[in-house]
Amino acid sequence: MSRICVWAGLMLFVLGVQTSAAQNCDRACLKNTMTTYLNALVAQDPSKAPLAANVRFTEDAKDLKVGDGFWKTATKVGDYRQDFIDVKEQVIASWVIVEESGRPAKLTARLKVANGKITEIETLVGHAGDRVAGGAAMVTRPDMGIAPPAGLRNSREELIRAADHYPRGLTIGGFDKVDAPFAKDAYRLENGMVMAGPGCGRGGPGGAGGPGRAAGTPTGTATGTPAGNPTGTPTGAASGATGGGGAVTASRPQDMSTCQDIKTQRIIAHPDLTKSVVAVDEEQGTVLIWMNFGDTGTYGAGNALIVYEGFKVFGGQMHAVEAFMKVLPKETPRGWGKTSKGMD
């Protein structure tokens, strides 16, 4: 009798392990889930996505029915996509260019998966023509998608700790003030515009002759200047940031004359900034953080910049910072997960 009980117990244990494994979605599974979702999105057919019966969907922090909002206008998946795959949390978040009637929109999407079904959909949609939408030529760089060098990979906790210097520095108006661990060649892209580090402040989206290329152009092709944007005139988040050195203000939130060094570039303080970790890709050494910059007077009365900022971290240093962003009312919450103040 005892032998039967032992065998029964072993069988239950094995079945439990198998069931748990079946319920977990690995990197390839999570990536494929996002691909399936995006294909359903541009087909404007939610039935083609593996949605849970109780799925929750937000767009620009507003709860909507799946099939509404961007689902009604998205027409084609573009040629840019950057994934943040968080296997531990069963989450995938992606930046994707998605066309709306031939015009590029910048989509940030986060999916939560359980038992093979999508249970959470969090999105931010930056439509062409939106304030801070960026230019027609979007610079891309490969850094986020390159695995960290052998021996320099950081733990999950170390990745978050390094990336958290960024919102802390924004809050008090200086990354040097929090001794942010930037690598010497670290850069920042905002909606496809090079705003700090190598290639910044030289006229085009990647700087005239600077590194990077426009999404959709062959490697080695000059990025040029965004259509309809005179050379030397920034768009979006860079607006008001040109000119010589000097004090930064609400209308000039970052100093492009000091942009070559991301750590010491002059920026305004964002005392009302709030933040929330969206995804941590331990294999790729990347962290995605949601931020509400608060009302700094930069984006119109009562508005704030809502940002999904990604960080490439290895060897304890931040090597790249990239972001998709949009101007929304200052009260805009993330609506998911835990949110804290910038210095917390």
Side-chain angles (χ1 to χ4, degrees), residues 164-175 178 267-270 342-343:
D164 190 54
H165 283 82
Y166 195 87
R168 293 171 65 86
L170 281 175
T171 301
I172 62 175
F175 301 119
V178 296
I267 58 173
I268 63 170
H270 302 72
M343 292 301 291

Side-chain angles (χ1 to χ4, degrees), residues 5-294:
C5 290
V6 170
W7 276 107
L10 286 172
M11 288 301 294
L12 287 172
F13 173 77
V14 171
L15 287 172
V17 170
Q18 290 177 339
T19 300
S20 176
Q23 290 175 345
N24 284 332
C25 199
D26 62 13
R27 292 185 66 86
C29 169
L30 289 166
K31 189 177 185 72
N32 183 63
T33 300
M34 179 61 78
T35 299
T36 301
Y37 175 84
L38 293 171
N39 289 337
L41 174 69
V42 296
Q44 301 180 9
D45 185 355
S47 70
K48 293 184 176 181
L51 305 177
N54 62 340
V55 63
R56 180 187 170 205
F57 168 53
T58 62
E59 182 177 305
D60 297 349
K62 295 180 180 178
D63 280 276
L64 297 177
K65 177 183 177 182
V66 178
D68 289 343
F70 195 47
W71 280 86
K72 293 185 178 296
T73 58
T75 53
K76 180 183 177 181
V77 178
D79 62 357
Y80 173 78
R81 172 175 161 184
Q82 175 61 53
D83 294 333
F84 299 83
I85 302 176
D86 192 334
V87 177
K88 179 180 178 180
E89 296 297 329
Q90 293 290 275
V91 158
I92 178 169
S94 302
W95 293 323
V96 191
I97 294 298
V98 178
E99 291 186 9
E100 289 183 286
S101 302
R103 303 188 71 193
K106 295 179 175 71
L107 170 69
T108 301
R110 179 191 65 88
L111 307 179
K112 173 84 170 178
V113 177
N115 299 320
K117 300 291 185 180
I118 299 171
T119 59
E120 299 178 1
I121 307 169
E122 173 185 3
T123 65
L124 182 80
V125 183
H127 304 277
D130 280 355
R131 189 170 185 177
V132 310
M138 176 181 157
V139 171
T140 64
R141 292 181 177 176
D143 302 65
M144 287 286 177
I146 299 175
L152 294 181
R153 184 177 296 177
N154 292 111
S155 69
R156 186 182 188 91
E157 293 73 21
E158 290 169 338
L159 293 172
I160 295 172
R161 189 180 309 121
D164 190 54
H165 283 82
Y166 195 87
R168 293 171 65 86
L170 281 175
T171 301
I172 62 175
F175 301 119
D176 52 346
K177 295 178 181 178
V178 296
D179 195 21
F182 284 113
K184 284 295 183 182
D185 60 349
Y187 68 86
R188 180 174 71 250
L189 294 180
E190 298 176 357
N191 275 354
M193 301 284 287
V194 184
M195 300 309 300
C200 77
R202 300 180 189 172
R213 69 182 184 90
T217 61
T219 302
T221 301
T223 55
T225 302
N229 184 43
T231 300
T233 303
T235 62
S239 180
T242 56
V248 287
T249 64
S251 61
R252 190 172 179 268
Q254 51 187 314
D255 180 9
M256 296 308 291
S257 73
T258 58
C259 71
Q260 289 294 320
D261 188 336
I262 187 173
K263 183 171 182 176
T264 58
Q265 181 184 23
R266 288 189 290 268
I267 58 173
I268 63 170
H270 302 72
D272 297 323
L273 183 145
T274 54
K275 63 189 179 183
S276 178
V277 175
V278 177
V280 181
D281 191 327
E282 298 177 56
E283 182 171 309
Q284 289 295 311
T286 54
V287 181
L288 186 64
I289 297 178
W290 171 94
M291 285 180 274
N292 178 327
F293 278 21

